[in-house]
Amino acid sequence: MAEPKEIPLMEKIVSLCKRRGFIYQSSEIYGGINGFWDYGPLGAELKRNVKELWWNTMTRQRDDVVGLEATIIMSPQIWKASGHVETFADLMVECPITNKRYRADQIEPQSGVVYHYSGAIEDKVKYDAWVTELKGRGERPAFAHQDEAVHPFSVLVQKGKPPESARKVASEYYSKSLFLMRFPILQGERAEPIENTTSYSPDSGAQLSEARPFNLMFKTYVGPVEDKDSVAYLRPETAQAIFAQFKNVLETSRQKVPFGIGQIGKAFRNEVTPRNFTFRSREFEQMELEFFIKPDEVVEAIESFKSSVSSVQPETSELKTGNSKLETPQPDWGWEKWHAYWVEERMKFYEGIGLPRTTLVEYWQKPEELAHYARACVDILFKFPFSKRDEKGELMGEELEGVAARSDFDLSQHARCSGKPMGVFDEELRAAWGKLPKEKQDELWRRYFENRKKYLTKMGVEAEAASKQATEDANGLAKGQYIPHVIEPSAGVDRLTLALICNAYSEVTETDAKGKSETRVILKFHPRVAPIKVGVMPLLKNKPELVKKALEVRDLLRPWMNVFYDDAGSIGRRYARQDEAGTPFCMTIDFDTLGEKPELLDTVTLRYRDDGRQDRVKISELLPLLLEKIR
Ligand code: GAP
């Protein structure tokens, strides 16, 4: 008998997500809408936990980060300044037969035989017969026809397949794309074997169009009139609102650079090919921190001055030695140290919610991969089941988060485009600058000037004006003024939620006394993220004393955590249901709880999901014990 076909892991995960109410297709009853997903009862809890953990770790637990909640629709000027209107685009190719668009960099290489055609001519005999037939019905052709199309076109067919399929596609092209040909006769057919080409449609085999940029922002109109003046965009990232509100937050939060502003919220991108379940969606949520730091020249000015007046010789800066002790930020950290610090903080965050380091990859972007304003960027990848594999067969991982050092690009852009200053005043810098030796001042001034000039010329400011502006900016150092740089850890809520589900997914096969085996799913979520923290179960639902006690336990825990009360079915079934929902703890209230064995009065059986271990725990000790595990 043939072995039953192994179901791919991702397929099992997608089906579990639907079956257990983690994730559903949006608008499913109308056939769904591509790239949009809804979170069901368990998914909503899981996602909420992800966001709360991020918010707590990144803002509430720190003195140097505050939060923001901005609108989704903002002035379109913001997206002009950020570069999204001009450049937030993917290179796209289009199939002329299906009109389907593909991202140029995502076409899988194909091999086969390419049939080239030099053009087509109309089959006059058939055409005339058709026109006569139309006339007989009192009709006329809707379009004028074209006798000849001198326009080359090619079609790829898989090796071993007959050329007929190529001819069919090419005929459709000449009649459809050029509209005018009704009965094309293909000209100059020539066959050519080809390997690993990405120039043909994966669906029809037709030659794809030239790659063209396609802006990913969703457009809408604000107000009753739909014209170019009322165009607005759904934000494609949460970051820009933080830059736009930087000055307000600085002035109202009593923060000083270095400090950060965090935001969680929806973002929208009209992705060309949404794929891999929720991984690439068109509506998703981001958790972004913009952490503002002093430019290196400012750090150096302050630190040089400090060391010149200190009797104690300072230790060599960790920034320069690279001897990383990244736990506690130091005043002498430059951007590289801050960047490394945030990469490490984020890795620790993922570990702390149950993604082991072995499932993560730190990918340091190569210089040629960096955005033009970025000095460095580390992508934190998770090894999803759908990730590509390297030559050793190891999963390579897909991006969960990017940690970018974005220089002073964003604030500078908003300063230039809005005409509002985005610089800060730093008393420490002002005091230090005047006391620095002239050579040091000159060196730092020059470096700051060069960086500013480089930025301005890159943004198209003409050389003389750029020099003038950069001089003004560098002169600002002496007055304690500068534009902060930024480190940006930017993560996706939906991607992390999916990573947690994939990581938690495990199966156990159990064989009963009769030799019947059953495979069931356990979602081994870290207790911190688990949608339900604890299942509370009376042993029997028809014993009012047990039910009363179980409800008391539920009400004791409920203000502190998400509790699920379950009295239906056998205890084994109830445990299995909670295992599949990823609930880390279950407790059973039985007759011993009521004092059948007096020494066990007011205790419950606490069962641990991952190893099935069961402990007897006093009800009075439950809360601290569970809180310690879920926080
Ligand atoms: N402000 C920087 C920024 O937006 P990004 O790399 O384009 O950078 C940051 O996005 C994160 O947002 C990604 O690492 C990913 O987790 C999430 N993200 C981006 N596009 C997404 C999409 N189409 N679907 C789901 N998550 C997405």
Side-chain angles (χ1 to χ4, degrees):
M1 202 174 76
E3 285 282 308
K5 207 167 152 250
E6 176 71 33
I7 304 170
L9 176 57
M10 207 50 217
E11 232 170 80
K12 292 186 194 173
I13 290 172
V14 173
S15 118
L16 173 86
C17 281
K18 161 119 197 243
R19 182 159 51 80
R20 286 312 313 254
F22 280 94
I23 302 171
Y24 315 122
Q25 203 182 6
S26 163
S27 325
E28 195 189 285
I29 57 167
Y30 291 102
I33 169 166
N34 199 7
F36 297 86
W37 300 94
D38 293 341
Y39 289 79
L42 289 179
E45 288 290 341
L46 176 62
K47 206 174 165 197
R48 188 169 284 262
N49 290 343
V50 164
K51 290 190 278 185
E52 269 172 18
L53 283 159
W54 186 94
W55 190 260
N56 268 327
T57 314
M58 301 293 271
T59 67
R60 289 196 182 145
Q61 303 293 320
R62 302 183 61 106
D63 291 331
D64 58 357
V65 178
V66 290
L68 178 73
E69 185 145 339
T71 56
I72 285 169
I73 294 178
M74 298 184 277
S75 162
Q77 306 277 44
I78 288 192
W79 307 111
K80 290 204 181 105
S82 68
H84 284 81
V85 171
E86 280 277 302
T87 59
F88 191 57
D90 278 339
L91 276 184
M92 305 269 310
V93 286
E94 190 169 342
C95 170
I97 304 299
T98 60
N99 291 334
K100 221 167 133 177
R101 287 180 176 157
Y102 307 86
R103 256 175 67 166
D105 60 348
Q106 282 176 0
I107 307 257
E108 289 294 334
Q110 305 175 81
S111 301
V113 178
V114 172
Y115 289 88
H116 299 284
Y117 300 94
S118 56
I121 53 170
E122 183 72 289
D123 186 331
K124 279 290 283 170
V125 177
K126 281 189 185 164
Y127 183 81
D128 289 344
W130 175 66
V131 174
T132 311
E133 193 193 316
L134 283 184
K135 277 189 185 151
R137 297 203 300 263
E139 294 171 27
R140 287 189 290 129
F143 299 102
H145 90 121
Q146 187 165 311
D147 280 338
E148 191 178 13
V150 190
H151 181 92
F153 184 65
S154 310
V155 184
L156 174 78
V157 294
Q158 304 299 320
K159 255 187 207 132
K161 290 230 172 117
E164 273 72 42
S165 54
R167 285 178 197 145
K168 193 163 163 251
V169 173
S171 299
E172 202 178 332
Y173 173 75
Y174 286 110
S175 44
K176 182 178 167 177
S177 281
L178 302 177
F179 280 126
L180 307 172
M181 225 166 250
R182 176 91 196 167
F183 303 101
I185 303 172
L186 302 171
Q187 301 293 295
E189 181 179 279
R190 182 171 57 84
E192 180 199 8
I194 200 156
E195 298 286 333
N196 295 325
T197 170
T198 53
S199 305
Y200 297 89
S201 161
D203 295 315
S204 69
Q207 180 186 332
L208 291 163
S209 68
E210 291 280 303
R212 279 191 297 267
F214 169 79
N215 196 297
L216 300 184
M217 283 197 293
F218 279 102
K219 237 188 219 177
T220 186
Y221 299 91
V222 172
V225 183
E226 290 191 11
D227 64 11
K228 67 175 177 27
D229 296 327
S230 60
V231 165
Y233 303 95
L234 303 193
R235 67 181 175 200
E237 61 172 23
T238 59
Q240 291 306 320
I242 298 181
F243 298 122
Q245 292 292 6
F246 168 71
K247 271 308 196 73
N248 274 335
V249 176
L250 180 75
E251 278 154 23
T252 52
S253 66
R254 297 171 55 94
Q255 289 285 346
K256 280 204 305 211
V257 177
F259 81 102
I261 306 175
Q263 179 168 219
I264 299 180
K266 288 271 187 186
F268 303 81
R269 296 182 190 179
N270 196 3
E271 296 284 357
V272 179
T273 39
R275 66 199 167 102
N276 291 329
F277 201 18
T278 57
F279 180 83
R280 190 173 298 286
S281 312
R282 288 179 165 139
E283 175 174 340
F284 55 97
E285 274 184 279
Q286 290 186 314
M287 306 178 282
E288 296 199 289
L289 170 69
E290 304 303 327
F291 194 83
F292 299 95
I293 55 172
K294 299 176 189 186
D296 280 7
E297 295 80 21
V298 172
V299 176
E300 232 178 292
I302 296 169
E303 292 307 308
S304 301
F305 167 66
K306 274 197 217 159
S307 60
S308 71
V309 293
S310 164
S311 53
V312 184
Q313 270 307 304
E315 287 178 23
T316 320
S317 161
E318 281 178 359
L319 163 67
K320 279 155 205 131
T321 61
N323 264 337
S324 49
K325 265 214 209 77
L326 289 166
E327 287 86 26
T328 322
Q330 300 297 324
D332 67 348
W333 281 7
W335 74 265
E336 280 176 288
K337 196 76 181 192
W338 274 114
H339 182 236
Y341 164 81
W342 276 113
V343 172
E344 189 50 30
E345 283 296 293
R346 300 302 303 141
M347 292 294 279
K348 281 196 257 172
F349 172 79
Y350 289 121
E351 273 188 297
I353 59 171
L355 297 182
R357 283 222 177 201
T358 48
T359 64
L360 301 170
V361 177
E362 262 179 42
Y363 176 77
W364 288 73
Q365 286 190 12
K366 302 192 186 83
E368 65 273 19
E369 294 170 319
L370 291 173
H372 67 89
Y373 47 77
R375 290 182 160 181
C377 184
V378 173
D379 292 336
I380 299 179
L381 316 180
F382 173 76
K383 295 177 185 173
F384 285 98
F386 49 77
S387 306
K388 289 210 177 83
R389 290 181 186 271
D390 64 15
E391 58 286 354
K392 290 194 212 118
E394 296 285 326
L395 287 172
M396 288 157 71
E398 299 283 338
E399 181 185 323
L400 267 191
E401 164 159 2
V403 186
R406 296 174 67 105
S407 68
D408 55 5
F409 174 78
D410 303 275
L411 287 183
S412 301
Q413 280 295 95
H414 288 301
R416 266 185 350 105
C417 298
S418 69
K420 306 281 183 324
M422 287 287 168
V424 298
F425 169 71
D426 188 323
E427 176 53 39
E428 231 186 337
L429 169 66
R430 198 197 54 77
W433 190 267
K435 313 264 171 47
L436 289 179
K438 177 80 173 56
E439 317 79 75
K440 192 72 195 169
Q441 285 180 345
D442 287 350
E443 184 215 323
L444 296 175
W445 188 97
R446 171 73 36 201
R447 269 168 43 200
Y448 194 81
F449 167 84
E450 293 299 347
N451 284 334
R452 296 297 302 158
K453 192 171 152 205
K454 198 162 135 205
Y455 152 73
L456 290 161
T457 14
K458 217 177 227 169
M459 297 323 293
V461 178
E462 181 262 315
E464 202 179 318
S467 274
K468 190 162 168 260
Q469 180 62 52
T471 304
E472 245 173 63
D473 294 343
N475 288 344
L477 293 174
K479 298 177 214 147
Q481 283 162 356
Y482 60 86
I483 296 187
H485 283 223
V486 75
I487 307 289
E488 177 196 67
S490 165
V493 181
D494 308 78
R495 285 193 188 173
L496 177 51
T497 305
L498 184 59
L500 290 166
I501 295 173
C502 293
N503 184 64
Y505 188 93
S506 66
E507 292 176 352
V508 280
T509 303
E510 283 154 355
T511 310
D512 66 15
K514 293 179 196 144
K516 194 173 151 231
S517 48
E518 188 194 27
T519 299
R520 56 186 191 88
V521 174
I522 305 184
L523 286 185
K524 294 188 172 175
F525 289 124
H526 190 291
R528 285 201 183 116
V529 295
I532 301 169
K533 306 299 183 198
V534 56
V536 175
M537 305 166 179
L539 184 63
L540 298 169
K541 71 169 169 187
N542 55 2
K543 293 282 173 217
E545 325 81 273
L546 288 178
V547 170
K548 182 168 172 276
K549 197 72 184 169
L551 290 173
E552 269 172 38
V553 174
R554 181 200 65 181
D555 293 344
L556 168 80
L557 301 176
R558 214 178 218 178
W560 303 91
M561 64 194 76
N562 193 20
V563 182
F564 191 84
Y565 179 82
D566 190 2
D567 60 9
S570 72
I571 279 289
R573 281 274 144 223
R574 283 183 258 171
Y575 284 160
R577 279 202 294 267
Q578 290 307 311
D579 286 350
E580 214 183 35
T583 308
F585 314 105
C586 283
M587 59 191 59
T588 308
I589 286 76
D590 56 19
F591 292 104
D592 288 338
T593 315
L594 304 178
E596 200 166 275
K597 283 197 198 114
E599 69 279 15
L600 294 182
L601 177 70
D602 281 337
T603 63
V604 297
T605 300
L606 183 66
R607 181 223 183 226
Y608 295 83
R609 174 197 63 204
D610 294 349
D611 53 9
R613 185 163 53 95
Q614 303 199 355
D615 289 343
R616 203 73 204 178
V617 179
K618 285 190 186 145
I619 292 176
S620 60
E621 286 169 10
L622 276 176
L623 192 56
L625 185 141
L626 292 174
L627 283 180
E628 203 240 325
K629 294 192 190 301
I630 64 171
R631 278 187 172 164

